[in-house]
Amino acid sequence: EWRMMIEKTENLDFWQDTVTELTTSKDTVTGVKTSLGISFSCTTVVLTNGTFLNGLIHIGEKNFGGGRSAERASFGLTENLQELGFESGRMKTGTPPRIDGRTIDYSVMEEQPGDEQPGKFSFTQTKPLSQQRSCHLAYTNDTVHNILREGFEKSPMFTGRIKGLGPRYCPSIEDKIERFSDKNRHQLFVEPEGWDTVEVYLNGFSTSLPEDIQYKALRSIHGMEKAKIFRPGYAIEYDFFPPTQLTHTLETKLVKNLFFAGQINGTTGYEEA
């Protein structure tokens, strides 16, 4: 059996598939099995599952399985880890609508240029950025807040359909206007998604409200009066594993050579970045 497994995998340098199970021996990880039934042997496994473990997406009163917009959730791995003795929980986070940048009036917004001396994510001798794209700063207003409140009765956050915990540093826009009702505006960072796309990420406007409410509120933001949405924002619930089960190297205490990194530990993507 072991020889057959090696023969199956020895010529596979890269393989795209969903891992559904870990293999272990004497409390040490020895490999993974995929949804296609293929086994890979290894000495170390790093799980970076993000929001995919039993992921459930919410938009207003609609919900459906997914790990990200238009991508399938991952099933099986949580249950396998529980069988190995790990404690899991449910986390909730959100994402904003993606907007067509060609429909935004940047002239009425505050430009946010990049750093004059750009930093780097790497300690290696990579060249610093020579060219950057600016972000822009926009603001909500009382009209936007009132429109958003119209959708609260259909919000999965306020009706109890979302059971997961919310991370501290990634509140939704509906959560912000509810918790900070004394504020008549909240800042929004209008962020280009890349050099070769017109798609814009509206940082600060994470929401799980119905898409018609999102659209109506968005068009009441100064500079967004003609904005078009590529896809609405949504909330997502997913499995995570409390990081008290890890050492300081992110190796698990229960299984040697198994590491958890990223949102599987209950952090947000922003914190990880």
Side-chain angles (χ1 to χ4, degrees), residues 52-167:
F52 278 73
L53 295 178
N54 293 320
L56 184 64
I57 291 173
H58 296 266
I59 303 176
E61 296 178 304
K62 307 169 187 174
N63 62 71
F64 48 92
R68 189 163 44 219
S69 179
E71 296 188 45
R72 292 176 58 190
S74 173
F75 302 104
L77 195 54
T78 292
E79 293 74 16
N80 175 232
L81 289 167
Q82 289 171 337
E83 290 172 0
L84 291 171
F86 287 95
E87 173 196 350
S88 69
R90 291 290 277 177
M91 181 66 72
K92 165 264 166 190
T93 191
T95 194
R98 273 32 173 216
I99 303 165
D100 185 341
R102 298 168 296 187
T103 64
I104 297 173
D105 182 2
Y106 293 103
S107 68
V108 299
M109 299 178 181
E110 301 174 31
E111 185 177 3
Q112 301 280 294
D115 295 336
E116 291 185 9
Q117 296 181 328
K120 298 185 294 183
F121 283 110
S122 173
F123 289 101
T124 61
Q125 299 302 313
T126 54
K127 293 181 180 180
L129 293 172
S130 59
Q131 194 175 9
Q132 300 180 78
R133 290 190 64 179
S134 291
C135 294
H136 287 77
L137 197 59
Y139 295 92
T140 63
N141 52 56
D142 285 331
T143 301
V144 172
H145 297 178
N146 289 333
I147 293 170
L148 292 171
R149 289 190 182 98
E150 292 176 14
F152 278 14
E153 63 182 18
K154 295 183 178 179
S155 167
M157 282 184 52
F158 295 118
T159 59
R161 284 193 300 279
I162 291 180
K163 305 296 183 184
L165 301 168

Side-chain angles (χ1 to χ4, degrees), residues 166-226:
R168 289 178 294 170
Y169 305 122
C170 195
S172 66
I173 186 63
E174 53 263 40
D175 197 27
K176 284 191 281 193
I177 65 175
E178 178 79 357
R179 286 166 52 190
F180 306 106
S181 56
D182 58 316
K183 306 293 184 183
N184 61 8
R185 72 175 191 174
H186 293 282
Q187 64 183 19
L188 305 170
F189 289 97
V190 184
E191 303 177 350
E193 288 270 22
W195 283 104
D196 301 318
T197 178
V198 296
E199 192 169 291
V200 167
Y201 183 98
L202 191 58
N203 191 345
F205 204 81
S206 293
T207 180
S208 58
L209 292 173
E211 60 270 25
D212 58 329
I213 296 291
Q214 294 186 38
Y215 184 69
K216 186 178 176 182
L218 181 71
R219 286 204 153 193
S220 296
I221 297 169
H222 195 34
M224 299 276 186
E225 291 85 356
K226 297 181 179 179

Side-chain angles (χ1 to χ4, degrees), residues 16 25 29 32-33 48 92 102 125 134 169 171 183 254:
Q16 295 183 354
S25 176
V29 72
V32 300
K33 292 182 179 179
T48 59
K92 165 264 166 190
R102 298 168 296 187
Q125 299 302 313
S134 291
Y169 305 122
K183 306 293 184 183
L254 286 175

